[in-house]
Amino acid sequence: MIDLEFIKAFLVGGSICVIGQVLIDRTKLTAARILVLFVILGCLLGGLGIYEKIVEFGGAGATVPLPGFGYILAKGVKEEIDKVGAFGIMTGGFKAGAAGIAAAMIFSFLTAMVTNPKEK
């Protein structure tokens, strides 16, 4: 039997992907701008406490896509402000997002080492 958590994650993650696809198909926004928009929206919704409810419902379906990265940045800033005060604005996002950024850099490097990347 399928676990309800998987269905919720699929619905939330799939909805985020549908929104991205609609933006690609119906607007003149480039993929890069849509990606930045998703991170900013995740950050704003995270800062307002709205994305937390989406994460509670959708789990990995909400934390893995790009709005989840924005949410992690906002959450890190909030936590760091609580610990060290206003200086946390500068350090919280870096601390919270460091693992994801490091993983992206390492896996990108490894992929470039085993493939034959070309400029367009």
Side-chain angles (χ1 to χ4, degrees), residues 56-98:
E56 287 172 7
F57 177 80
T63 57
V64 172
L66 281 170
F69 180 66
Y71 160 72
I72 291 295
L73 294 176
K75 185 178 176 184
V77 169
K78 282 175 149 180
E79 291 173 358
E80 199 67 11
I81 287 173
D82 291 340
K83 288 180 187 174
V84 298
F87 189 67
I89 295 170
M90 300 297 291
T91 61
F94 290 116
K95 287 183 179 180

Side-chain angles (χ1 to χ4, degrees), residues 17-86:
C17 292
V18 165
I19 292 167
Q21 191 63 49
V22 168
L23 288 172
I24 289 169
D25 292 343
R26 305 280 177 168
T27 68
K28 294 183 187 260
L29 292 173
T30 63
R33 289 185 176 172
I34 293 169
L35 297 176
V36 170
L37 176 68
F38 275 1
V39 173
I40 291 171
L41 283 175
C43 216
L44 289 173
L45 293 174
L48 296 172
I50 298 169
Y51 207 79
E52 181 70 34
K53 291 175 178 54
I54 298 170
V55 169
E56 287 172 7
F57 177 80
T63 57
V64 172
L66 281 170
F69 180 66
Y71 160 72
I72 291 295
L73 294 176
K75 185 178 176 184
V77 169
K78 282 175 149 180
E79 291 173 358
E80 199 67 11
I81 287 173
D82 291 340
K83 288 180 187 174
V84 298

